[in-house]
Amino acid sequence: MLQISMFIALILLTLAVAGCMYRVLRGPSMADRITALDTVGVNIIAIIVVLSMMLDTQAYLEVMLLVGILAFLGTVAFAKYIERGVVIEHEQEDRDDIDDSDDR
């Protein structure tokens, strides 16, 4: 009975990933796409958990952590890109602007 429940959970999680991927590709706004991409990461972690339980192994625990970290970093990077237009800010450009204004 537990194996059937886990198999059904795998199917539902896979459908959820497919639905989120549709939202990532066709999302009306960038925020919707980022939220859907974050949800894809969470669903992939859940799929790995269910697979780990079905196979009765702990070999995939590191994979879950890695996917979680990558999903978090991706979400933060996309959110920062939406907010400021860049992911990594360069302080050198700011200093050059200050130096140019001091010379005048």
Side-chain angles (χ1 to χ4, degrees):
M1 182 66 183
L2 186 62
Q3 291 291 327
I4 293 172
S5 299
M6 287 187 201
F7 187 72
I8 291 171
L10 273 179
I11 291 171
L12 293 174
L13 287 168
T14 304
L15 290 174
V17 169
C20 289
M21 288 305 294
Y22 176 77
R23 181 58 60 192
V24 167
L25 296 175
R26 298 277 184 166
S29 70
M30 193 62 115
D32 291 333
R33 291 178 178 179
I34 292 171
T35 304
L37 194 61
D38 191 43
T39 306
V40 167
V42 170
N43 285 332
I44 288 174
I45 291 171
I47 287 172
I48 295 170
V49 167
V50 172
L51 277 176
S52 180
M53 290 174 63
M54 285 180 74
L55 299 174
D56 196 25
T57 181
Q58 296 179 354
Y60 301 118
L61 294 178
E62 290 87 11
V63 175
M64 291 185 307
L65 289 173
L66 184 65
V67 170
I69 290 169
L70 289 176
F72 173 74
L73 291 177
T75 302
V76 169
F78 279 125
K80 192 169 180 179
Y81 178 75
I82 286 177
E83 181 184 359
R84 299 185 181 175
V86 294
V87 176
I88 299 173
E89 296 177 18
H90 298 283
E91 294 182 20
Q92 183 67 28
E93 295 173 5
D94 295 336
R95 283 191 221 144
D96 290 341
D97 293 339
I98 293 172
D99 291 340
D100 290 341
S101 65
D102 290 341
D103 292 339
R104 293 181 186 163

